[in-house]
Amino acid sequence: MENSVKIPLWFWIVSTVMLLWNLMGVGSFFMHVGMSEEALAALSEAEQELYASYPMWTTVAFAAAVFGGALGCIGLLLRKKWAKMVLIISLIGVIIQMFHSLVIAKATDVYGPGAVVMPIMVIVIAIFLVWLANYSIKKHWLT
């Protein structure tokens, strides 16, 4: 049985751009967990202390955020309903990670108030992706 639902071009473009965005997040994750001693030593003392203060559960949240986001976007491109649940898991990971970074670890004390721009953007994009998956399900674009 063929699917006769026409999916607009913008869906494919947005889903592809969001996959690329999340793949950059995956790259950032590997740079974070694979930081060499030399690279860590090159950071300022405040940055080194901040980096050392992050518990393992924040790394798990980071992994859930970026790998979930990438997998969820692949799910969108494959037109699968499960993409929504994976993107919700990604959003939860993003919120946990950013809450720790901004509220608990107080990264703004090290990087200044401009350090809130990227976390807010990441949260907004993660919320948008959950919305997009839900919207796509309602439009019968995902099966």
Side-chain angles (χ1 to χ4, degrees):
M1 182 171 163
E2 276 190 48
N3 190 349
S4 62
V5 176
K6 175 113 172 93
I7 301 173
L9 178 62
W10 68 261
F11 170 84
W12 300 110
I13 294 169
V14 169
S15 296
T16 300
V17 169
M18 291 293 96
L19 174 59
L20 294 173
W21 165 262
N22 278 285
L23 289 174
M24 288 191 307
V26 169
S28 176
F29 174 81
F30 283 119
M31 287 177 17
H32 175 78
V33 298
M35 186 178 286
S36 68
E37 291 296 323
E38 295 80 25
L40 190 56
L43 299 175
S44 70
E45 186 175 324
E47 288 174 304
Q48 289 179 35
E49 289 173 12
L50 180 65
Y51 191 89
S53 75
Y54 281 74
M56 178 57 76
W57 60 265
T58 62
T59 303
V60 172
F62 189 5
V66 299
F67 289 104
L71 182 60
C73 289
I74 290 169
L76 289 175
L77 291 167
L78 293 174
R79 302 181 50 214
K80 299 297 181 186
K81 284 184 182 179
W82 54 257
K84 179 181 175 183
M85 184 51 62
V86 176
L87 290 168
I88 289 171
I89 293 167
S90 173
L91 173 60
I92 292 167
V94 166
I95 291 169
I96 291 169
Q97 178 195 12
M98 298 309 171
F99 179 81
H100 179 271
S101 182
L102 296 175
V103 177
I104 298 172
K106 297 184 172 131
T108 53
D109 291 351
V110 174
Y111 297 114
V116 299
V117 174
M118 184 60 99
I120 289 171
M121 190 168 80
V122 169
I123 291 168
V124 168
I125 289 172
I127 291 169
F128 167 75
L129 282 170
V130 171
W131 172 85
L132 178 61
N134 194 53
Y135 180 80
S136 299
I137 290 168
K138 287 179 181 176
K139 291 288 191 176
H140 305 288
W141 298 344
L142 306 183
T143 57

